[in-house]
Amino acid sequence: MTEAAPLTSAQRPTERSLPERRTPAPQPAPPHSQPTPPHPQQTPTRPGPPRPGPPRPGPPRTGDGPGRAPAARTGSLLTGLLRTARPKQWVKNTLVIAAPAAAGRLFSWATLTELALVFALFTACAAAVYLINDARDADADRAHPTKRHRPVAAGQVPVPVAYAVGGALAVLGPAAAAWLTSPAVPALLTAYVGMQLAYCVSLKHVLVVDLAVVTTGFLMRAMVGGLALGIPLSRWFLITTGFGALFMVAAKRYSEAVQMAGAQGATRALLTEYTPGYLRFVWQLAAGVAVLGYCLWALEEGGVPHTSVLPWRQLSVVAFVLAVLRYAVFADRGTAGEPEEVVLGDRALALIGVVWLAMYGLAVANW
């Protein structure tokens, strides 16, 4: 019995043979011919980004830019001007009551009205200096990590507007004082504005002079109230106030030098010229002289013995020395920034200040 012959490839009925017979075999490319590029329809296309539709109507813009609503733009400008005037710094101007309080001339409506006027005029002059200073330093403040948020540096208040408002306040403040107060007040305000503008331009770059100018600004605040009311200023008052101000100014500079360590120029260029040891010497010297001046005032009877229940003036020395020592703690740590922030931010120091004020008031009232 013979075996059946195997089927050949032409005779095997497979599924693959049918499409192979229907699909023509590709023709070999002729020699030295380039490959045929694919048909344009065979090239896959990537979907592009969706086309933006027409803008939808919305409320008027309230941010910066030409589309801002006029009312919002005006309100933002006024807010920026107010922030540039440094409302937190206005507490310094309460020093205008120092001389009248020391003389016991604080308890009358006429005195309080006059002091309120002097406070407002001095605040206007100080705001003028802040506005002009921020306008001058706008470019440098934009590169500072903290000062770049100031309204002028951030663009909330245009530089020309800051110059214009600052110049107007610098002129109107002394002019109003010449019309409403004694002649000594506009003279002092004019000297204050001139000195502070000179500080903004050049004096803040001069060693030691910058400390003297800032200290003199505090001393002028303490003097203007007495000048407005015609109160003679004692030598102990001037010594204690002047060196007390120098103590706080030097402590602030020392704290800045300690905090900025190797990059002092990032906050004040002049700090690169000072050494922490020198600034420490200055605030320690100033603190000692301020305490000495206050003690000499408190222990000086002036030929008139006290008739109060307790020697409040002598007892106030304890509170004054404690306040200086407490403030020196922050100076030594390098955390003594703005004086008003140090005093109001520490409860113990604020309490000591209240006790000192009470004793001082009882001494002046001779109770």
Side-chain angles (χ1 to χ4, degrees):
M1 183 174 181
T2 59
E3 295 180 359
L7 295 176
T8 61
S9 60
Q11 297 173 345
R12 184 180 296 116
T14 62
E15 294 180 357
R16 294 182 59 184
S17 62
L18 296 176
E20 287 178 358
R21 286 195 297 269
R22 288 197 301 266
T23 304
Q27 298 294 329
H32 306 292
S33 63
Q34 299 294 333
T36 305
H39 195 274
Q41 295 181 354
Q42 299 177 357
T43 304
T45 58
R46 297 181 179 179
R51 295 183 180 180
R56 297 180 180 180
R61 296 174 58 187
T62 58
D64 295 335
R68 292 176 58 187
R73 185 164 57 245
T74 303
S76 178
L77 178 61
L78 293 177
T79 303
L81 289 172
L82 181 61
R83 287 178 53 203
T84 308
R86 312 280 206 283
K88 291 183 179 180
Q89 305 285 347
W90 294 356
V91 68
K92 297 177 183 177
N93 299 333
T94 57
L95 284 173
V96 300
I97 70 173
R105 300 256 315 262
L106 200 58
F107 305 102
S108 67
W109 284 111
T111 298
L112 293 176
T113 302
E114 186 76 11
L115 291 178
L117 176 61
V118 172
F119 174 86
L121 293 173
F122 210 106
T123 300
C125 292
V129 175
Y130 289 134
L131 285 163
I132 296 175
N133 176 74
D134 285 7
R136 280 186 52 84
D137 296 343
D139 293 336
D141 289 348
R142 292 187 185 102
H144 193 273
T146 304
K147 295 180 180 180
R148 62 188 178 90
H149 299 295
R150 289 178 175 177
V152 179
Q156 185 178 3
V157 177
V159 172
V161 174
Y163 273 123
V165 177
L169 290 176
V171 173
L172 293 177
W179 183 41
L180 300 172
T181 62
S182 61
V185 176
L188 186 142
L189 292 179
T190 302
Y192 172 82
V193 171
M195 181 183 66
Q196 295 297 325
L197 291 180
Y199 174 83
C200 295
V201 174
S202 62
L203 294 183
K204 65 181 178 181
H205 303 296
V206 182
L207 283 172
V208 182
V209 175
D210 70 313
L211 298 176
V213 171
V214 179
T215 301
T216 305
F218 282 95
L219 187 58
M220 286 182 169
R221 289 175 170 88
M223 293 172 57
V224 69
L227 295 177
L229 299 175
I231 299 174
L233 303 174
S234 70
R235 61 185 182 273
W236 303 127
F237 174 81
L238 297 176
I239 289 174
T240 303
T241 304
F243 280 93
L246 179 61
F247 163 58
M248 292 185 290
V249 172
K252 179 184 176 183
R253 291 287 193 275
Y254 173 78
S255 299
E256 291 176 345
V258 170
Q259 292 174 3
M260 299 307 296
Q264 295 95 330
T267 178
R268 291 185 191 271
L270 195 61
L271 283 180
T272 57
E273 303 296 331
Y274 285 121
T275 62
Y278 174 79
L279 293 172
R280 173 186 285 273
F281 161 75
V282 172
W283 69 256
Q284 290 176 342
L285 172 67
V289 176
V291 169
L292 178 62
Y294 189 87
C295 290
L296 292 175
W297 168 82
L299 299 175
E300 184 184 50
E301 293 289 349
V304 180
H306 71 85
T307 59
S308 56
V309 177
L310 292 174
W312 296 115
R313 189 156 72 168
Q314 289 80 0
L315 291 176
S316 68
V317 171
V318 178
F320 186 86
V321 173
L322 286 177
V324 172
L325 293 177
R326 182 71 181 184
Y327 198 101
V329 170
F330 299 97
D332 187 66
R333 292 175 180 172
T335 58
E338 295 292 341
E340 64 276 7
E341 294 180 359
V342 176
V343 175
L344 299 178
D346 182 66
R347 292 184 178 180
L349 184 56
L351 179 60
I352 294 172
V354 170
V355 172
W356 173 80
L357 285 174
M359 290 182 175
Y360 189 88
L362 292 172
V364 171
N366 201 22
W367 285 358

